[in-house]
Amino acid sequence: MMNKRVLLLVFAFTAFLSVQAQEFQGIAVYQSKTSSAEFMERMKGNRDITPEMQKRMEDRMKSMFEKTFILNFDKTASIYKEEEKLDAPGQNGGGMRMWSSMMGSGGTYYKNVKQKMYTIDKEFMGKQFLVRDSLPKLQWKMEGESRLIGGYNCFKATATLTITEPDFNALRPKREDEKKKEEDTKEKKTNLLDNLMAPKEATITAWYTPEIPVNQGPDKYWGLPGLILEINDGKTVILCSKIVLNPKEKTIIKPSTTGKVISQKDYDETVVKKTKEFMESNQRPSGGGNRIGGGGRR
């Protein structure tokens, strides 16, 4: 009789802990800033772009490359999504928004660290996709440095990320010496993507806090013994500006089910192929550039 009572108590306590773990939630607000300096430097040498056009482009690129994201998380899963904002009057940025949509705007980034999988619902060229794949595992190196972020004790970790997907935020103009190495034919390349390149890998610096012991972070980052509050890949900085633990209103943390299910590799190949086709079909007859992005004559 006593053994049964003990077993019942143990079962009840275990169930209680399980419910507590499931009920735990948090909200983290992140500010993401991506440098557009190299793009704007390239635009300065373009004779087709007036100072007024350049100023408008700078304002629109700022809104494109400075964003706010919300991370809702519990012990095992999270959803990461851009905060929705209305365009200011006269600042609709139609061309830049079309460019962003064409490049594949992301919806909800769901990560499940227990199942080691993720999903992202994306719209690309008017079609809905649901990218579903295994979480990439970064080999984090603990650096031993610490600092305070928003009152939380944080520790530094670094990792090398191999860039396999078409990360358009990482694109930069090719240098003249890089272009010359690729000129195997007499035909001059005019496709915008042909004049841009992305690095093969990036060094990631993360700051995480063990004071919030969840294996989560913004965007695709995870795998540290505490919530990641800052990420820096050398071009983009994602910094946490606000944290709310156990909010009164709970969020349903589950993956999206909208769109054609596709692996990350197949989606990346689709993006590259269709983007090149789009660029080629929109080149000017004179070969002086293409209609999107303002790549002018030289």
Side-chain angles (χ1 to χ4, degrees):
M1 186 70 176
M2 182 62 70
N3 287 339
K4 287 184 178 180
R5 186 175 297 173
V6 171
L7 287 173
L8 285 172
L9 287 172
V10 170
F11 176 78
F13 183 68
T14 303
F16 172 77
L17 291 179
S18 177
V19 169
Q20 288 293 99
Q22 291 174 3
E23 288 181 350
F24 169 79
Q25 278 196 13
I27 301 173
V29 180
Y30 292 88
Q31 309 299 325
S32 174
K33 293 186 179 182
T34 300
S35 173
S36 60
E38 288 180 294
F39 280 94
M40 297 317 303
E41 190 64 31
R42 183 178 179 81
M43 291 301 104
K44 288 180 182 178
N46 192 319
R47 291 177 296 176
D48 289 348
I49 297 180
T50 65
E52 292 77 15
M53 290 169 63
Q54 183 175 325
K55 178 65 169 60
R56 288 197 297 270
M57 286 181 65
E58 287 177 351
D59 292 341
R60 290 172 182 175
M61 289 187 78
K62 182 178 180 181
S63 66
M64 248 184 89
F65 291 160
E66 295 185 11
K67 300 179 179 180
T68 300
F69 290 86
I70 309 296
L71 179 75
N72 288 274
F73 61 90
D74 58 27
K75 288 288 187 180
T76 61
S78 67
I79 49 176
Y80 184 70
K81 190 173 183 179
E82 183 181 353
E83 182 182 61
E84 295 182 3
K85 292 182 180 178
L86 294 176
D87 290 321
Q91 297 291 328
N92 55 20
M96 299 301 283
R97 186 163 56 248
M98 183 180 73
W99 173 259
S100 177
S101 176
M102 188 190 73
M103 291 298 107
S105 57
T108 301
Y109 197 135
Y110 171 84
K111 295 196 298 287
N112 190 307
V113 298
K114 185 176 182 180
Q115 298 175 359
K116 304 226 174 4
M117 58 79 67
Y118 70 94
T119 66
I120 321 171
D121 55 319
K122 286 178 171 285
E123 180 184 349
F124 176 66
M125 288 190 174
K127 295 183 179 179
Q128 293 288 338
F129 292 91
L130 183 63
V131 180
R132 182 182 294 164
D133 220 316
S134 300
L135 277 172
K137 182 153 179 71
L138 292 172
Q139 300 299 319
W140 293 107
K141 177 184 176 184
M142 305 304 177
E143 299 292 348
E145 298 179 37
S146 63
R147 58 182 271 219
L148 281 175
I149 298 179
Y152 289 92
N153 290 302
C154 295
F155 296 89
K156 182 179 179 181
T158 59
T160 300
L161 175 66
T162 301
I163 300 176
T164 57
E165 60 187 87
D167 185 354
F168 292 97
N169 283 336
L171 289 174
R172 66 170 177 81
K174 292 179 182 176
R175 301 189 306 268
E176 289 302 319
D177 60 320
E178 292 169 334
K179 292 180 188 177
K180 288 179 181 178
K181 289 181 180 179
E182 296 179 353
E183 288 179 353
D184 297 329
T185 66
K186 293 182 180 180
E187 182 182 356
K188 188 175 182 180
K189 294 181 178 181
T190 57
N191 190 310
L192 176 62
L193 292 185
D194 289 331
N195 293 320
L196 300 174
M197 67 177 295
K200 301 298 182 183
E201 60 183 26
T203 299
I204 310 299
T205 300
W207 292 89
Y208 69 94
T209 176
E211 295 175 16
I212 306 177
V214 295
N215 197 359
Q216 292 286 350
D219 199 45
K220 55 180 164 285
Y221 302 105
W222 71 290
L224 286 166
L227 181 65
I228 299 173
L229 298 190
E230 182 178 322
I231 284 287
N232 188 332
D233 67 2
K235 191 175 180 68
T236 299
V237 176
I238 305 174
L239 177 63
C240 183
S241 59
K242 181 181 178 181
I243 294 176
V244 178
L245 297 179
N246 290 315
K248 292 181 179 179
E249 293 186 12
K250 301 295 182 181
T251 300
I252 299 175
I253 299 177
K254 64 178 183 180
S256 175
T257 57
T258 303
K260 175 186 176 183
V261 177
I262 189 171
S263 70
Q264 186 71 62
K265 182 176 181 294
D266 290 343
Y267 177 78
D268 295 343
E269 291 175 353
T270 299
V271 169
V272 172
K273 178 183 177 182
K274 294 298 182 182
T275 300
K276 286 186 176 181
E277 289 176 357
F278 179 87
M279 292 296 183
E280 290 169 359
S281 66
N282 281 272
Q283 286 181 351
R284 294 175 183 170
S286 63
N290 39 51
R291 298 169 189 167
I292 303 292
R297 296 183 301 273
R298 294 179 191 169

